[in-house]
Amino acid sequence: MLLEVGPTRIAQVAIERGIDRYPNGLSYALPEGLEHLTAGDRVVVPLGRGNVPTSGWIVRTIEAGEADEQLGGMDANRLKAVLKADPSGARLPGDLLSLAHWISEYYICPIGMTLAAMLPAAVRQQRGKVTRQFIDLPPDSPDPTTLPARFGRGRRKVLEILHAMPAEERPLEIGILAERAGLRTKGPIRALLEQGLVVGATRSSIHADWMQRSEAIAGKAPPPEPTPAQADAIESIASTLDAGFSQHLLFGVTGAGKTEVYIRLVDHVIQRGKIALVLVPEIALTPQTAGRLFNRFPDRRVALLHSGLTQAQRNQQWTMVAEGEIDIVIGARSAIFAPIPDGRLGLIVVDEEHDGSYKQDSAPRYNGRDVAIRRAQLAACPILLGSATPSLETWHNAVNRGLMTLHRLPERAPGLALPRVEIMDFAEERKRWNDKRIHLLGPRLARTLSETVSSGAQALILLNRRGYANYISCPDVRCGWVMQCEQCDAGMVYHRDRQPASKLHEFVRCHHCLTEQRLPSKCPQCSRKTTVFGLGTQRVEQEVRELLGPSVGPEAVKRVDSDTMRGASDFHETLDRFARGRIKVLLGTQMIAKGLDFPNVRLVGVVNADTALNLPDFRATERTYQLVSQVTGRCGRSTQSGIAIIQTFQPDAPAIRIAALHDYETFANGELVERKRFGLPPIRRMARIVIRDQDDNACRLAAEALAERLRPHLVEAVELQPPEPCPIGRISGRTRWQILLLAPDANTLRSVLRAARRADVIKPGERIAVDVDPLGLM
């Protein structure tokens, strides 16, 4: 593995392993033939005593004569050599390398794992890559008319075709050449190659079936004339496109036309020869937003980057972006790692910036919105965050700290009115039913739903809880048995679905570890027949179908949750059918509350607005407000007015009451007062360290020991809260304890974590997870 002669260049390589000891990478020699490799190239290197071939990324190259300080006195001649360049040929631009270093440091993740997360598996595995051979004439190719008579007819025909072609149309793919020459095989062409009468070259390209248009969902309406508020925002933001980094918040009510502002700004960017990057929180929103971009820019090149693509499609799109062949990039969270060439990025748009889907829940645990801000800094371009319900962090940065320019769209687009919102006290609503059955739809919501569908309009029904029922127990209160997951401190959820031949399949599932088993027919303690109650989207679907009756048809009602939507194509197909009016009622979880725009939706019903309100999480109130406000904004998006009916057991809860008034600023300002009172984000910055162990006592002791080892690294104004069990104390058979760190600002928090990390106090991995700026504390 060592070189026979000293290397001329040395590469520092970040290994794609959970190795946190070498933040600047391991040093390897670049052997002859690989000296051209540079920072950003993916390579294969020998690792450990066994010299196991391992993938990694070159993060820096050093001339051998300048390497003494970097190697700490080690002889450069004794360095192992890089084995080869990665076969995929993947290379990250300089901006992404710098971004990876920032993510690794800020979110406490090994640099190699961070870089690995930036490259889709489809690119690593070269999915869809096809290598073809092309044939051309050499400079001294003989004239076919001078060839001897015994020269084979097939070979002669090949040469005649190539000589008759203009030089700019050559070379020709070998299969096409054989077809034009009327050959049954490629043998004559291969014979010419052996004789040197033609020359061959191979070219690799990525092929994938690709349908870029989604007109049924997006619509083909002509561009609307901007409102005065839209025009002001467009002009103000466009004036900063050539002025380097700047931050902007586009705050507008639902239906105010934020997407139109995005599109106009994208046009400004591509007119300057730059690339626009548009992020959406969910794969589900991609077809609508992408459809609008395709329709407005039919002659521009738009790339989609999200996990809903096939492997070949993802490789194809990523490669097109890396080669600079794209004008617009759109995708979900991971699209922030689009390999846009350095100097080409002109604008980043983060739509629905408040959405929790931008937060990655495995290492590196980054927030796509915050990473987007950092990438815009590195690229020296503006970033635009948009939302009707901004996160309190963003609102605080714009209004109180002055870090962003605030642009307001206070009214809906012309001809659209905000829906009328009715809050129904569900405890009182349930008393109005005359039968003894338990109904999930109150009389007011049930009646309005029937009237809406009968009139030919459509409805969205939201319940942010999957399954049929969330409580399985013994009916005898003296027994008290309640079914819990054996691996988690959580209840099992009852699911049911119809199998072929209409056979009912009943089972229970844990929504944390995904354990499944059959529904027990009897209580394991007293043998009484088990009972199930509670609520879930499956039960709502059953009730809606019974309410509307068979006359609407089985396709008129569609449930949308992670149980029915197995992939992005399922959701896109469902949205297409809803856009065409084949589906009358779309019901489901928060998937239907985000960014959907269908003019025929006249009713939005929220079955239970309290599902997240009472969770032991300081963000519960904020999330409830955002969910209720966002879903009610899905109706009334035409000249016809809409109505939103919110069922709740807490009709006086501020989050629900203020959401019904569409008054975000009152809610945000009041909530910030509470956050300041308790010193919670965004007033202070937070890091959450979760310790996991299969043994309860060992987990507690490890958490207490870690807290003690952290104390010497604290600085003034940093609070370390005592270790405590997580609200969900056990998941997948492992006990969970947490430690919370609170600091006055991001730099202070980062310095504490950096010091603890360098002292090997914090070692992220299977046992310890570090979540900086956590969105959830469960």
Side-chain angles (χ1 to χ4, degrees):
M1 294 293 177
L2 301 180
L3 299 178
E4 294 182 1
V5 296
T8 58
R9 297 181 72 218
I10 294 168
Q12 290 180 281
V13 180
I15 306 299
E16 291 184 353
R17 298 281 181 89
I19 301 174
D20 203 35
R21 188 179 302 175
Y22 307 102
N24 296 319
L26 300 173
S27 297
Y28 288 89
L30 284 170
E32 184 179 355
L34 297 180
E35 303 100 325
H36 64 283
L37 295 177
T38 187
D41 285 317
R42 192 166 187 258
V43 294
V44 179
V45 297
L47 183 65
R49 294 181 179 178
N51 291 321
V52 178
T54 306
S55 295
W57 295 87
I58 297 179
V59 294
R60 186 184 177 193
T61 58
I62 312 165
E63 297 301 322
E66 304 171 2
D68 292 344
E69 292 185 10
Q70 303 293 331
L71 298 178
M74 180 179 176
D75 185 358
N77 295 324
R78 297 190 58 78
L79 288 177
K80 295 179 182 180
V82 172
L83 297 178
K84 61 180 179 179
D86 187 79
S88 69
R91 188 176 189 280
L92 297 180
D95 283 353
L96 278 187
L97 271 184
S98 299
L99 186 66
H101 282 287
W102 180 83
I103 291 173
S104 172
E105 180 179 327
Y106 186 74
Y107 291 105
I108 317 298
C109 181
I111 180 64
M113 290 181 63
T114 303
L115 287 163
M118 290 182 164
L119 187 72
V123 181
R124 280 198 301 271
Q125 299 163 4
Q126 306 179 69
R127 295 297 180 90
K129 187 173 183 179
V130 176
T131 300
R132 289 189 169 94
Q133 189 172 25
F134 288 78
I135 305 300
D136 202 351
L137 294 172
D140 56 350
S141 175
D143 187 333
T145 60
T146 65
L147 295 172
R150 65 180 180 275
F151 198 81
R153 285 185 299 175
R155 288 178 291 164
R156 186 187 299 273
K157 184 64 175 176
V158 168
L159 292 176
E160 289 174 351
I161 290 173
L162 290 174
H163 274 272
M165 291 178 64
E168 60 270 15
E169 294 182 11
R170 302 195 310 262
L172 201 61
E173 198 271 327
I174 188 170
I176 297 175
L177 180 58
E179 183 179 350
R180 289 189 184 180
L183 303 177
R184 293 182 180 180
T185 71
K186 299 171 186 174
I189 301 177
R190 301 195 193 285
L192 289 172
L193 284 167
E194 292 177 2
Q195 293 173 312
L197 297 178
V198 297
V199 293
T202 58
R203 294 181 184 175
S204 295
S205 58
I206 300 164
H207 289 261
D209 294 330
W210 189 238
M211 176 63 72
Q212 288 194 325
R213 308 231 170 247
S214 189
E215 289 133 344
I217 293 177
K220 295 183 178 180
E225 190 67 26
T227 65
Q230 287 175 323
D232 287 345
I234 294 165
E235 181 180 0
S236 176
I237 300 169
S239 68
T240 69
L241 291 176
D242 299 319
F245 171 69
S246 59
Q247 299 183 69
H248 304 266
L249 170 59
L250 184 62
F251 167 54
V253 297
T254 56
K258 291 183 287 295
T259 303
E260 182 62 26
V261 175
Y262 303 157
I263 291 174
R264 300 270 178 165
L265 289 169
V266 165
D267 191 27
H268 280 280
V269 170
I270 58 182
Q271 292 294 341
R272 288 168 163 78
K274 296 292 187 74
I275 296 172
L277 172 59
V278 181
L279 301 182
V280 294
E282 293 270 13
I283 297 172
L285 300 185
T286 306
Q288 278 202 320
T289 309
R292 289 171 179 166
L293 290 170
F294 284 133
N295 292 336
R296 292 287 285 276
F297 302 108
D299 300 323
R300 296 294 183 174
R301 300 159 299 179
V302 182
L304 302 185
L305 293 177
H306 59 73
S307 58
L309 306 177
T310 67
Q311 294 289 295
Q313 288 169 347
R314 196 162 192 191
N315 190 10
Q316 176 197 58
Q317 299 291 290
W318 193 93
T319 303
M320 289 169 63
V321 175
E323 293 175 354
E325 299 177 355
I326 291 299
D327 300 301
I328 306 167
V329 180
I330 180 171
R333 178 182 61 228
S334 61
I336 191 56
F337 302 135
I340 297 170
D342 291 337
R344 294 291 312 282
L345 184 57
L347 173 70
I348 300 177
V349 175
V350 184
D351 190 26
E352 307 292 358
E353 64 82 26
H354 67 277
D355 198 283
S357 300
Y358 283 119
K359 180 71 169 177
Q360 172 83 0
D361 59 3
S362 59
R365 292 176 173 81
Y366 66 91
N367 188 312
R369 176 200 63 215
D370 297 339
V371 171
I373 293 173
R374 180 58 180 165
R375 182 159 193 191
Q377 286 180 317
L378 294 169
C381 74
I383 180 168
L384 173 59
L385 312 181
S387 178
T389 57
S391 67
L392 288 180
E393 283 78 5
T394 298
W395 185 255
H396 181 59
N397 286 337
V399 175
N400 299 328
R401 300 183 65 200
L403 298 179
M404 299 180 181
T405 303
L406 177 61
H407 310 271
R408 298 175 186 268
L409 301 179
E411 298 177 351
R412 280 196 159 187
L416 308 185
L418 287 168
R420 184 175 82 257
V421 181
E422 297 181 10
I423 299 176
M424 310 305 298
D425 185 339
F426 200 48
E428 294 297 321
E429 281 281 280
R430 292 171 64 181
K431 297 175 183 178
R432 295 191 176 99
W433 285 113
N434 295 324
D435 55 35
K436 294 183 178 180
R437 292 177 55 196
I438 296 177
H439 295 268
L440 298 185
L441 305 182
R444 174 67 172 133
L445 178 54
R447 182 174 67 254
T448 308
L449 178 59
S450 295
E451 294 170 353
T452 300
V453 174
S454 297
S455 70
Q458 294 169 295
L460 295 176
I461 305 295
L462 170 76
L463 175 62
N464 204 24
R465 180 169 287 162
R466 291 184 291 130
Y468 187 90
N470 63 321
Y471 206 72
I472 306 158
S473 68
C474 176
D476 190 340
V477 294
R478 294 170 297 179
C479 172
W481 174 80
V482 177
M483 190 173 190
Q484 296 284 112
C485 175
E486 295 179 357
Q487 300 296 318
C488 308
D489 287 347
M492 301 291 277
V493 178
Y494 169 54
H495 288 252
R496 59 192 299 184
D497 61 65
R498 292 282 176 185
Q499 297 289 346
S502 296
K503 183 179 179 181
L504 183 64
H505 176 52
E506 299 178 295
F507 61 96
V508 295
R509 174 188 295 153
C510 174
H511 287 177
H512 297 283
C513 69
L514 304 181
T515 295
E516 288 186 7
Q517 65 184 72
R518 289 184 178 181
L519 174 69
S521 58
K522 295 180 180 180
C523 170
Q525 296 181 181
C526 68
S527 297
R528 286 181 173 82
K529 184 178 179 180
T530 56
T531 183
V532 298
F533 57 96
L535 67 170
T537 50
Q538 290 183 331
R539 187 170 176 183
V540 175
E541 178 185 19
Q542 176 182 312
E543 190 166 326
V544 169
R545 291 188 182 279
E546 291 174 353
L547 173 70
L548 299 179
S551 59
V552 298
E555 293 186 356
V557 179
K558 182 64 177 180
R559 173 165 52 91
V560 175
D561 55 32
S562 57
D563 295 325
T564 58
M565 303 291 109
R566 299 296 183 182
S569 59
D570 292 337
F571 196 87
H572 297 172
E573 180 186 359
T574 297
L575 291 184
D576 184 64
R577 290 166 54 203
F578 192 67
R580 298 177 188 276
R582 295 176 182 174
I583 297 174
K584 300 298 183 184
V585 180
L586 205 61
L587 63 93
T589 57
Q590 61 182 351
M591 293 175 71
I592 66 172
K594 302 177 181 181
L596 302 183
D597 185 358
F598 296 100
N600 198 36
V601 174
R602 310 283 170 74
L603 169 67
V604 165
V606 180
V607 175
N608 184 357
D610 312 331
T611 52
L613 190 56
N614 297 318
L615 293 176
D617 190 323
F618 72 92
R619 296 187 193 272
T621 301
E622 180 184 3
R623 279 197 288 266
T624 297
Y625 176 91
Q626 290 169 340
L627 184 61
V628 172
S629 181
Q630 287 286 337
V631 74
T632 56
R634 298 310 110 205
C635 66
R637 290 175 172 256
S638 68
T639 55
Q640 299 292 324
S641 60
I643 182 172
I645 298 175
I646 303 171
Q647 297 182 161
T648 173
F649 288 99
Q650 303 177 63
D652 295 324
I656 295 173
R657 179 172 47 80
I658 301 175
L661 299 174
H662 310 289
D663 189 0
Y664 171 80
E665 293 193 48
T666 296
F667 168 78
N669 294 334
E671 185 68 11
L672 282 174
V673 169
E674 292 299 304
R675 300 281 181 92
K676 185 175 183 179
R677 177 184 171 195
F678 293 102
L680 293 169
I683 307 304
R684 292 196 291 177
R685 301 300 282 263
M686 176 184 286
R688 183 190 190 211
I689 304 174
V690 177
I691 301 91
R692 301 170 289 202
D693 199 287
Q694 292 184 337
D695 182 82
D696 296 355
N697 192 52
C699 187
R700 175 182 62 82
L701 293 174
E704 292 172 350
L706 177 58
E708 287 303 313
R709 294 182 66 198
L710 280 170
R711 293 189 191 282
H713 301 284
L714 301 182
V715 297
E716 187 177 355
V718 174
E719 177 188 352
L720 186 151
Q721 295 191 353
E724 61 180 351
C726 296
I728 302 177
R730 191 167 55 100
I731 292 180
S732 298
R734 293 193 294 179
T735 300
R736 306 164 70 241
W737 278 61
Q738 67 181 14
I739 299 171
L740 299 182
L741 281 170
L742 289 152
D745 53 63
N747 286 334
T748 304
L749 180 62
R750 181 167 53 185
S751 67
V752 169
L753 292 174
R754 183 196 300 123
R757 186 182 183 187
R758 289 178 177 174
D760 276 346
V761 173
I762 296 177
K763 299 178 181 179
E766 277 298 308
R767 197 179 187 198
I768 295 178
V770 182
D771 191 0
V772 179
D773 300 329
L775 292 188
L777 298 180
M778 297 300 291

